[in-house]
Amino acid sequence: MKLNVKFSSLYASARKMGIENFIDFSVNLNSIPIDIHVEPLSSPKGVEVPISAVSIDPNSGIFSYQGKHIILFIPDHSFNYEEALQNPKEKGNKFHLTECITLSKMRASGRFRRYFATTNTNGQFEIFNSSGERAEVPLSVCRNCLSQLNYKNYISNRQVFNEFTLAEFFKHYETKFGRIPENVGQDEGGYTEDWQEVSLTYRRSVSFRCEECSVNLYGFQYLLDAHHKNGVKQDNRPQNLKAVCKLCHSLEPEHEHMTISESYRSQIENLRRVQNIT
């Protein structure tokens, strides 16, 4: 039976994400996987992030994502795309440095739109409209963010807005943001080629004991995982790793998708009971 399915809505959504070229395909065993290119965090396109994954550094008040200092912007200019092209500094969506009053109001009203994170410092941002048209334009910083941070004494000196540059902003907080690594693989996806060896070495170093609930899994090593604390799977530094049983692993932030088989769950719970772990 032949099915007639229209993919126009799917294609429109794909264009918003930057995919311009589409390949004809058929469902068969000889289909060739399509190589999808993902823009790095440092590009003008940025990376779409769940707002729940963005942190605010307690010392400086600035945004961080996966251990890196970032800013947030909204590339979707569906209703003001043409105006933004003509006058991006005035008509374009402002980019954000911190959780300012603007973001708080949008969050409270349920109008928290799709945000992208970037570490790009040249001041150029890629924006798009509902038709898939895209362009790189210079956007302006949010004044409420400058006020929230009182960046360079902005509250008393409003000229700071006109003189603001992202390069200088990132440089200004370089020494205050102690958790920024030079490069721990934030812009790369997947695990490193030696991950299996790294994982085994780390789990062995803690005697195959879960560092969260303390259950000993020496004889059940397949029930113990090595978890990346900052979420960057390329960052295999020992201080970024944590040995956790599969049950504890599923409770880590952003791991709601992780499912545990009833067999594994039963084994871990039984071992906890035997070892008097509640």
Side-chain angles (χ1 to χ4, degrees):
M1 180 178 67
K2 184 177 180 180
L3 298 177
N4 293 318
V5 182
K6 294 183 178 180
F7 291 98
S8 56
S9 296
L10 176 62
Y11 291 152
S13 297
R15 289 190 181 94
K16 287 185 178 181
M17 296 186 290
I19 301 174
E20 301 293 345
N21 299 317
F22 299 95
I23 300 174
D24 291 333
F25 69 93
S26 60
V27 181
N28 60 67
L29 297 177
N30 297 317
S31 295
I32 300 174
I34 299 173
D35 183 23
I36 299 176
H37 175 66
V38 180
E39 291 292 336
L41 189 63
S42 58
S43 74
K45 286 186 177 181
V47 175
E48 184 175 3
V49 296
I51 198 64
S52 59
V54 177
S55 302
I56 298 178
D57 183 76
N59 298 317
S60 60
I62 57 180
F63 287 130
S64 66
Y65 174 66
Q66 294 186 343
K68 203 164 189 178
H69 179 190
I70 62 163
I71 60 169
L72 295 178
F73 71 104
I74 303 174
D76 188 353
H77 283 63
S78 298
F79 302 108
N80 60 328
Y81 182 75
E82 293 300 328
E83 291 182 330
L85 289 184
Q86 298 298 321
N87 190 356
K89 288 285 189 177
E90 292 294 329
K91 301 299 182 180
N93 297 328
K94 306 300 185 287
F95 60 84
H96 295 275
L97 315 174
T98 188
E99 179 79 8
C100 67
I101 188 172
T102 302
L103 293 188
S104 296
K105 285 182 177 179
M106 290 183 70
R107 193 195 298 270
S109 63
R111 294 173 57 247
F112 214 68
R113 297 160 65 189
R114 290 169 53 197
Y115 275 87
F116 280 56
T118 183
T119 60
N120 186 39
T121 61
N122 68 8
Q124 295 289 319
F125 300 83
E126 183 175 282
I127 65 173
F128 55 75
N129 62 13
S130 57
S131 299
E133 296 178 285
R134 316 180 79 88
E136 284 189 20
V137 298
L139 298 178
S140 291
V141 63
C142 170
R143 292 177 183 270
N144 287 330
C145 285
L146 292 177
S147 181
Q148 179 76 20
L149 294 172
N150 196 23
Y151 176 67
K152 291 194 171 183
N153 200 30
Y154 169 76
I155 294 176
S156 300
N157 179 18
R158 298 308 170 100
Q159 185 62 26
V160 170
F161 173 82
N162 298 321
E163 299 172 350
F164 181 89
T165 67
L166 278 170
E168 192 173 9
F169 172 72
F170 275 86
K171 184 69 175 178
H172 179 81
Y173 284 101
E174 189 175 55
T175 58
K176 298 181 181 180
F177 197 74
R179 294 183 293 138
I180 302 178
E182 284 299 316
N183 183 358
V184 293
Q186 297 94 330
D187 300 339
E188 301 177 37
Y191 295 92
T192 56
E193 293 183 0
D194 62 345
W195 171 240
Q196 294 299 326
E197 180 182 348
V198 170
S199 172
L200 178 60
T201 298
Y202 183 80
R203 287 179 291 146
R204 183 182 289 127
S205 73
V206 296
S207 303
F208 297 98
R209 184 181 296 275
C210 176
E211 294 182 273
E212 191 65 35
C213 72
S214 298
V215 64
N216 190 327
L217 297 173
Y218 186 82
F220 305 85
Q221 298 175 12
Y222 58 90
L223 296 176
L224 188 70
D225 298 335
H227 166 66
H228 291 93
K229 296 177 183 177
N230 65 7
V232 181
K233 294 180 175 63
Q234 298 277 324
D235 184 3
N236 293 335
R237 295 172 300 161
Q239 60 268 36
N240 186 46
L241 299 180
K242 179 181 179 183
V244 284
C245 70
K246 290 189 178 295
L247 288 184
C248 289
H249 198 177
S250 68
L251 298 176
E252 290 290 334
E254 304 298 320
H255 280 62
E256 296 82 0
H257 62 281
M258 188 174 175
T259 58
I260 312 298
S261 70
E262 284 303 316
S263 174
Y264 284 179
R265 182 182 299 276
S266 178
Q267 289 180 69
I268 295 172
E269 290 177 343
N270 183 58
L271 287 168
R272 287 175 176 176
R273 282 193 295 270
V274 171
Q275 298 173 29
N276 294 318
I277 296 173
T278 57

